[in-house]
């Protein structure tokens, strides 16, 4: 996984992980996280996160 993407997600309160070719975006405390979105492409995850925190988008490398 792209470390910059994971760092960016955690800065805005999300967790990103890849399972079986699907990127899962979750939110919440460890152990009680809720799935909020899933994607097939890394680029889609990046775009979705950038929409939620455009002021921090410079942390995500393309």
């Amino acid at each position: 996984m792209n470390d910059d993407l994971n760092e960016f997600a955690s800065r805005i309160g999300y967790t990103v992980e890849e399972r079986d070719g699907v990127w899962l975006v979750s939110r919440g405390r460890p152990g009680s996280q809720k799935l909020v979105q899933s994607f097939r492409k890394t680029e889609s995850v990046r775009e979705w996160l950038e929409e939620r925190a455009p002021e921090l988008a410079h942390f995500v490398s393309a």
Side-chain angles (χ1 to χ4, degrees):
M1 180 191 316
N2 184 327
D3 289 337
D4 290 337
L5 182 62
N6 196 30
E7 179 183 341
F8 177 59
S10 67
R11 284 180 182 248
I12 61 172
Y14 292 94
T15 301
V16 178
E17 66 179 301
E18 188 268 336
R19 283 192 200 159
D20 300 322
V22 177
W23 293 91
L24 306 172
V25 181
S26 303
R27 189 163 202 162
R29 295 180 181 184
S32 64
Q33 293 183 332
K34 305 278 190 221
L35 178 67
V36 293
Q37 193 64 269
S38 62
F39 300 94
R40 294 259 178 219
K41 296 182 181 178
T42 307
E43 296 80 22
S44 299
V45 177
R46 183 177 293 115
E47 291 169 3
W48 189 86
L49 290 169
E50 287 173 353
E51 289 173 5
R52 271 125 197 94
E55 68 279 0
L56 296 176
H58 66 278
F59 285 106
V60 180
S61 62

